């Protein structure tokens, strides 16, 4: 396995750990809210009842919405999917475009600054690894192009 694939595997491992850890931690902290969704039906996670500027919202309904947006409606599931995609592409010898790494690093930096202390900053490492792997791939393609170019 070349170093670009190794970097992508580390990046995907970090993303998978962050996303899965977030969902597991949320499940432990908000177990009653999550089991309430099962009792009332999944549509009860964020009811679509229209109210007058939130006047009828209770602490319980706000906690319910917070649990939804912190869990399945938040960043954890897309981060797990991106981590799996990165792992899959690395296994096939393909790299992620460096733009994904820049986007992930910027998103995690802003999230980490807004929510200190948080593990968001670990996502910056994952983004940086994707950037490095993408640049190594670009350099190796350029080197291969120079070797095969008769000019």
């Amino acid at each position: 396995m070349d170093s670009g694939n190794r970097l992508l595997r580390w990046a995907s491992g970090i993303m998978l750990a962050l996303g899965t850890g977030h969902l597991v931690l949320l499940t432990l902290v908000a177990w009653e809210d999550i089991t309430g969704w099962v009792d009332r039906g999944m549509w009860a996670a964020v009811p679509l009842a229209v109210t007058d500027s939130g006047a009828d919202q209770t602490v319980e309904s706000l906690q319910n919405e917070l649990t939804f947006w912190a869990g399945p409606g938040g960043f954890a599931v897309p981060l797990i999917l991106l981590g799996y995609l990165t792992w899959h592409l690395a296994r096939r010898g393909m790299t992620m475009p460096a733009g994904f790494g820049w986007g992930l690093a910027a998103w995690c930096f802003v999230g980490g600054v807004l929510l200190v202390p948080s593990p968001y900053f670990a996502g910056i490492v994952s983004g940086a690894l994707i950037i490095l792997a993408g640049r190594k791939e670009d350099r190796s393609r350029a080197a291969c192009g120079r070797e095969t170019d008769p000019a």
Side-chain angles (χ1 to χ4, degrees):
M1 178 187 324
D2 69 341
S3 62
N5 287 344
R6 190 174 311 120
L7 293 174
L8 288 177
R9 294 251 175 137
W10 273 101
S12 65
I14 292 168
M15 288 185 279
L16 290 168
L18 284 174
T20 305
H22 191 269
L23 288 179
V24 168
L25 186 62
L26 179 76
T27 302
L28 294 174
V29 170
W31 181 251
E32 292 156 7
D33 291 328
I34 294 170
T35 56
W37 298 345
V38 175
D39 292 341
R40 295 184 312 266
M42 289 305 288
W43 59 89
V46 181
L48 297 176
V50 179
T51 61
D52 295 331
S53 67
D56 294 331
Q57 284 194 325
T58 63
V59 172
E60 292 81 18
S61 68
L62 288 173
Q63 179 64 36
N64 191 44
E65 289 178 20
L66 175 70
T67 302
F68 173 77
W69 289 113
F75 78 94
V77 174
L79 195 61
I80 290 169
L81 293 174
L82 183 62
Y84 174 73
L85 175 65
T86 306
W87 185 275
H88 177 74
L89 291 176
R91 194 178 74 214
R92 298 186 78 175
M94 301 167 69
T95 60
M96 299 280 289
F100 279 97
W102 284 110
L104 180 64
W107 175 57
C108 288
F109 177 78
V110 170
V113 167
L114 294 175
L115 187 65
V116 174
S118 77
Y120 260 112
F121 290 116
I124 296 172
V125 174
S126 187
L129 292 173
I130 292 172
I131 294 166
L132 289 173
R135 290 198 176 188
K136 282 186 180 212
E137 179 70 20
D138 290 344
R139 276 188 250 140
S140 67
R141 282 185 185 165
C144 288
R146 275 186 253 131
E147 291 174 4
T148 60
D149 189 18

